[in-house]
Amino acid sequence: MTSRIPSGVAGALDDAASAPSETGFDARLYERFPTKGRRPRGELEELKKVWETPTGWRAFSAVNNNFIGFLFIVTAFGFFVAAGVLSLVMRVQLSAPLAGIVPQETYNQLFTMHGSVMMFLFAVPAVEAIAVLLLPQMIGARDLPFPRLSAYSYWAYLIGGVVFFCSIFFSLAPSGGWFMYPPLSSAVYAQGINADFWLLGIGFIEISAIAGAIELTVGVLRTRAPGMTLAKMPLYAWAVLIFGVMIILAFPAMIMVTFLLELERAFNWPLFDATRGGDPLLYQHLFWFFGHPDVYIIFIPASAMLSTMIVTVAQKPLVGHEIVVLALIATGFISFGVWAHHMFTVGLPGLSAGYFSAASMAVAVPAGAQVFAWIATLAAGRIQRNVPSLFLVGGILIFVMGGLTGVMVGMVAFDGQVHDTYFVVAHFHYVLIGSMVFPLFAAFYYWTPMINGQQLSERVGRWVFWLNFVGVHVCFLPMHLSGLMGMPRRVDTYLPGRSMEVPNLISTVGAFIMAAGVLLFLIDAIRCYSRQGMGGGGGNARNVYHGGTLEWLSTGNYGIRSIPVVSSLEPLWADARLRENVEAGRYFLPGTTTGARETLITSSSRAEPQYVQIMPGPAWSPLLAALFTAGFFLLLTVKALTLSAICGVLTIVCVMRWVWHNDRHIPQKQVDAGGGILLPTYVTGPQSHGWWAAVLLVIVLGMIFLMAMFSYLYLFGAHPDWWRITAPRGALAPGLLLLGASAGLAYAARPLLARFKRGSGLSAVAMALSMVCLVAALAVDSLDWWNAGLRGDASGQGAAIYAMLAWHSSIVLAVMLSAVYYLARWMRGLAPGPANKTLEALRILFMFAACEGAAALLLPRVLPWGGV
């Protein structure tokens, strides 16, 4: 069956014909769309039933991206409001000299929690939450590829975040600043469990963020609508891809640094104690390797939202779209080379300081390219006068002001004058508010009609904008002056008679003006969302701003009725009948072909259809796994070790229950995905989206171990005189032999499964033996160091080596649990050959663990040679 090709699709076919296919898919098959004739009766009703969100108490088992994404956004904004309330208390304290509103220790807890909540519980989670809600609709997917992982990520974030924030009401909040530098955060100066709450809580939240990043990265690469090549991918999808990759590369440093500091506090390992061979600057290097990319992790998705909305506001394609994409990539790349500009005052070598200063200025170039693209687009178009446009223009102005002061503090000499003063406070608030908060408000007004079918009040929205815009300048502009006058940050009071009273009083007034704007927005949002539940479909204010991207076709829990062939960056502008044909079910997956939830998996660069993914439905296991994970970390904090261990076991049980039925074969080996195109329902190897997730997880684990290796090398370079134990060589040969055998057995498991009649049993045996070899190699390595007299609490050498082994032990533990899981599936007949996605993913983990073990074995025995 063929039908006339829409003009937009014809262009996509011309592009497809000019390049070889990735998968053997014939692009001429797109000619079958849009199909003709009536769709089968009841098809739409069946689709709605399959994707229906549970009601009542069962709603907590829902995994739909629109449900989880909406809760995610509400929770993140709740933390924004909570952190804002803390800042108001701080501003009241500083409105007059020697004010005694709160005690000094309470004030220290307030500014620590304000910064921690804003950075860890609002900024990154908010942009991730919007991506969970928005990305599938924008790229034409039914949902993200791992919806239960999204649910786990959200519940872990909610539970951990609420407990972490509530610690301030019990005087258990940390007081060392949101960066928690040692030695102030070490056991000597931060006694009690306050710092432990921060370390374990933040580490737990980072795990949630990484889980979401893996989900989003695979979603962008593998679930785009057919024809949505990289050249036709929305700018927002590009930003989410870069955002996910940056989290995968940067957040492991934060996990490792919190892990190391907790080891020092719990076991007295002197990783950051300079008197015993450690170095507190190691903490700063690891923290800011995460901390500075984190600013751009926040900025990149927010700037892409801004670009998307500017296109609609101007009703004009983005000027220099390709340049903006390159600017986003360049920003992400350069951001990893500027972390030490936070450390100009610690005594860096002149060459290092010069490099980081130059990199700090260079990163402004791609950001400036985006600003000029926004201005050019607005100038070339016909700007709609509405609330989103106000927040967009206001955000650009504030961001540019913050960027200019950023270039100033990137200069070593100037930074030496204003470091740790209120000038820096003003700088990063201007940057974060302009680049993230104002685009976020614009997004609320712009996409609420898509989410809710209703529109936030334009009249109230103008008040919200002007209160926030004026409040930002009244609050933070005077801080530049007070900073230049020498007012230090993180102080609870100041002396009178130093001309700082007026700037501080003005800043306090500005903070309350902003608070009034946020309060007004909350009132309007409650009014709007109380009329119509989230999910849309009930209002008449859908695409009120005439956007051109696919999210405006979203009609229910299943996203869009049928997944179209995409031909341009703004499909709704390119094809006037696209909405009609999509809602009529004339494209891919107009119903459910297997009676289950489904989405289309496409190739990574050319978005050619590869197979139909059978998606999991509602389940309690993600919520329970998150609950027990939180219990494990929080009980560990209060030293309730038995209860913590029980929660850890229950977490493992819930996770295994959650993934038990994910990898299943169904009777339909192929299904009609639409237009008579047959696609498989089960694939393995690099075509599988699960394989991509496994590879990304291994990259995360590898980055964490790379940070551990860096820590070892840094401490050796900083204090070689503390390297007193000669590296033993007894474990070298047997350890490498065991690790080689482990990797070889894991590698052989797949061909054993595929080639032999009883291959499933042989593969299970191979994986079990691989795990045994890993455990044996770890035991041999650890005993070798212990017998040589190395102790973790004696010197930086012992602490660094045992820290590497401790992290490797956690990976070996994961391998042991994975082996048990695979053996259990084999015993239940769920490990059939010749194709098995579970085996594909686990063998990647096993081989990585063997390589990591070899690095942990070799590095301390190679550097220094034979010890010193």
Side-chain angles (χ1 to χ4, degrees), residues 696-720:
L696 292 176
L697 176 60
V698 164
I699 292 173
V700 170
L701 298 176
M703 285 297 300
I704 296 175
F705 189 72
L706 189 63
M707 295 299 107
M709 294 170 64
F710 169 79
S711 302
Y712 170 86
L713 294 173
Y714 184 90
L715 291 182
F716 170 62
H719 298 287

Side-chain angles (χ1 to χ4, degrees), residues 290-362:
F290 145 82
H292 199 81
D294 187 49
V295 175
Y296 296 98
I297 286 169
I298 298 164
F299 165 67
I300 286 174
S303 70
M305 287 194 301
L306 196 150
S307 297
T308 302
M309 289 182 280
I310 279 178
V311 168
T312 301
V313 163
Q315 291 291 288
K316 180 82 175 177
L318 185 67
V319 174
H321 171 85
E322 295 83 0
I323 294 175
V324 173
V325 171
L326 291 174
L328 292 175
I329 297 172
T331 300
F333 179 78
I334 299 173
S335 69
F336 282 93
V338 299
W339 79 86
H341 83 198
H342 296 271
M343 302 169 60
F344 283 156
T345 59
V346 304
L348 291 176
L351 182 62
S352 297
Y355 163 77
F356 286 109
S357 179
S360 302
M361 297 179 191

Side-chain angles (χ1 to χ4, degrees), residues 74 77-78 80-82 85 441 444-445 456 460 464 468 515-530:
V74 171
F77 197 79
F80 170 74
V81 173
V85 171
F441 274 105
F444 288 155
Y445 282 91
L456 290 165
V460 174
V464 172
N468 278 283
V518 174
L519 178 62
L520 198 58
F521 170 79
L522 285 174
I523 295 171
D524 189 33
I526 293 171
R527 174 201 61 81
C528 177
Y529 282 92
S530 62

Side-chain angles (χ1 to χ4, degrees), residues 364-386:
V365 175
Q370 292 184 72
V371 171
F372 283 113
W374 298 333
I375 295 172
T377 304
L378 291 171
R382 190 170 182 178
I383 302 176
Q384 301 180 38
R385 298 181 180 274
N386 48 42

Side-chain angles (χ1 to χ4, degrees), residues 312 315 446 543 546-552 569-574:
T312 301
Q315 291 291 288
Y446 179 78
N543 191 2
H546 309 292
T549 42
L550 291 180
E551 74 273 16
W552 297 108
L569 287 168
E570 284 83 29
L572 295 183
W573 292 358

Side-chain angles (χ1 to χ4, degrees), residues 28 33 38-39 65 113 269 294 320 322 354 383 539 572 582 616 636 732 769 780 801 822 824 827 861:
R28 288 174 296 180
F33 301 103
R38 293 188 176 183
R39 300 301 308 168
N65 77 290
M113 290 298 291
W269 291 3
D294 187 49
E322 295 83 0
I383 302 176
L572 295 183
V582 165
L636 195 63
L732 203 55
L769 290 175
V780 167
I801 291 172
Y822 188 73
M827 294 174 65
R861 292 170 172 84

